Amino acid sequence: MTLELSNWLSGQENYAQPTESEKEIYNQVNVVLKDAEGILEDLQSYRGAGHEIREAIQHPADEKLQEKAWGAVVPLVGKLKKFYEFSQRLEAALRGLLGALTSTPYSPTQHLEREQALAKQFAEILHFTLRFDELKMTNPAIQNDFSYYRRTLSRMRINNVPAEGENEVNNELANRMSLFYAEATPMLKTLSDATTKFVSENKNLPIENTTDCLSTMASVCRVMLETPEYRSRFTNEETVSFCLRVMVGVIILYDHVHPVGAFAKTSKIDMKGCIKVLKDQPPNSVEGLLNALRYTTKHLNDETTSKQIKSMLQ
């Protein structure tokens, strides 16, 4: 691994600016990434309407309490709609980056060296995704609020009550949002599906172009984290978290796209090395990432996965 290849990870602030050929994709993705921090802040501050919903359910005849619960839930569903719509924008951004980073005639390593600004954006998308899903996993209010909203809406329809806020989320969108929030890690699922779809739609592109790009990124992250010489270049602990999340993100995408996945002996990802790097961190800081490997990969429980790897993740 060359030093150039690791530049887009080592110091998050000092990486290559986009070249002329990268600019179009870079600018499109940048527009999406600009909103990522705001989405995370909204999710972090999402408190839910559990109290109002409980009161309304316990006193079904009290119209005031019904109105209060509905009034609390409608703006929250507006937020959930915004998160879902952002996942669609993120998916489009990821597909644009995959197109640029896997195109012929360059190898994945050459792409990552030549187009460091795009590689960095790819990493930032994965970093956002893992952070979003970690927050969502620990917030049961999201699904409770949304199912209450849907139940109340269908009751209002039956009784022909005009539903203020129904314009917010029509039935078809509500179905799609339900599927999205039913996932343990909805953003990762969106990106895994998008990567799988990208590979199946680009049949003229060897699948290795995509899987090698992902495995190279996983190796860069692992080497950066386990080599003291590289690790000492990290200016802050945030960069360590960044590398860990990106590593786990690319492993999960690889596992969904590669025919035999990330855990098989023939995998180009050193899974034992990657898990060891995770296990070497303070336990409370990586539990969410270990859970992502346990529950959102596709091939972990295959017979081809070695007992050692399975036991490392138990």
Side-chain angles (χ1 to χ4, degrees):
M1 186 190 79
T2 64
L3 273 171
E4 291 74 51
L5 194 47
S6 64
N7 281 347
W8 48 269
L9 278 172
S10 55
Q12 282 166 262
E13 44 302 324
N14 52 14
Y15 63 95
Q17 290 304 305
T19 59
E20 262 326 294
S21 60
E22 293 172 90
K23 269 211 171 118
E24 191 185 343
I25 297 275
Y26 180 88
N27 291 338
Q28 287 167 6
V29 175
N30 216 29
V31 170
V32 179
L33 283 171
K34 274 200 171 91
D35 294 335
E37 209 50 49
I39 294 282
L40 289 174
E41 282 164 16
D42 279 355
L43 179 56
Q44 204 145 19
S45 62
Y46 189 102
R47 290 291 165 266
H51 173 71
E52 292 86 345
I53 290 170
R54 273 192 304 278
E55 290 285 296
I57 290 169
Q58 281 164 7
H59 306 95
D62 189 326
E63 274 310 309
K64 279 268 186 307
L65 288 175
Q66 306 309 309
E67 281 170 24
K68 193 177 175 191
W70 182 246
V73 160
V74 167
L76 290 171
V77 169
K79 276 190 176 184
L80 296 180
K81 180 189 177 197
K82 188 170 94 172
F83 299 160
Y84 172 73
E85 287 170 344
F86 187 75
S87 78
Q88 305 304 290
R89 293 173 61 205
L90 204 65
E91 177 184 349
L94 180 88
R95 288 164 71 100
L97 287 173
L98 280 171
L101 291 170
T102 58
S103 60
T104 49
Y106 301 112
S107 72
T109 307
Q110 287 170 324
H111 269 300
L112 293 174
E113 284 179 343
R114 288 168 58 91
E115 288 136 18
Q116 290 189 25
L118 298 186
K120 180 70 169 57
Q121 286 184 318
F122 192 99
E124 281 176 348
I125 286 178
L126 291 170
H127 183 234
F128 163 83
T129 298
L130 272 291
R131 284 168 74 201
F132 182 96
D133 286 347
E134 281 165 24
L135 288 169
K136 186 265 172 188
M137 261 178 156
T138 54
N139 196 338
I142 288 174
Q143 277 179 279
N144 296 340
D145 292 348
F146 196 61
S147 53
Y148 177 80
Y149 174 83
R150 297 201 76 186
R151 285 198 310 274
T152 308
L153 200 55
S154 62
R155 204 165 51 240
M156 289 163 110
R157 283 207 187 103
I158 291 163
N159 299 329
N160 287 324
V161 178
E164 240 189 309
E166 191 191 341
N167 329 339
E168 281 285 312
V169 176
N170 64 31
N171 210 30
E172 190 231 344
L173 179 57
N175 286 336
R176 283 189 281 133
M177 283 171 64
S178 274
L179 289 171
F180 177 76
Y181 287 113
E183 294 290 340
T185 52
M187 284 287 175
L188 258 176
K189 175 81 168 80
T190 301
L191 295 196
S192 299
D193 289 352
T195 310
T196 306
K197 199 172 171 192
F198 171 82
V199 168
S200 65
E201 283 175 358
N202 292 278
K203 293 209 172 10
N204 57 332
L205 198 68
I207 190 169
E208 292 76 26
N209 286 30
T210 304
T211 54
D212 286 358
C213 173
L214 298 170
S215 60
T216 304
M217 286 178 80
S219 300
V220 173
C221 292
R222 177 181 55 74
V223 172
M224 295 289 290
L225 289 159
E226 69 185 10
T227 313
E229 178 204 339
Y230 287 122
R231 183 88 180 233
S232 64
R233 294 168 64 202
F234 290 172
T235 47
N236 57 36
E237 275 308 298
E238 257 308 287
T239 313
V240 174
S241 306
F242 183 83
C243 279
L244 289 166
R245 288 194 181 103
V246 173
M247 181 179 78
V248 168
V250 286
I251 288 169
I252 290 165
L253 295 187
Y254 182 99
D255 195 53
H256 278 265
V257 173
H258 196 282
V260 296
F263 298 96
K265 281 193 175 69
T266 52
S267 162
K268 288 194 178 175
I269 296 179
D270 172 6
M271 281 309 301
K272 284 176 196 160
C274 290
I275 297 167
K276 185 180 179 307
V277 163
L278 283 166
K279 293 277 183 103
D280 286 345
Q281 311 305 315
N284 57 342
S285 68
V286 290
E287 198 48 39
L289 295 177
L290 288 166
N291 281 339
L293 288 179
R294 287 174 188 127
Y295 306 122
T296 59
T297 45
K298 192 176 174 182
H299 295 280
L300 174 61
N301 296 316
D302 289 4
E303 282 175 20
T304 49
T305 303
S306 76
K307 287 193 174 73
Q308 192 187 352
I309 288 178
K310 283 180 182 171
S311 71
M312 284 175 90
L313 280 173
Q314 265 167 5

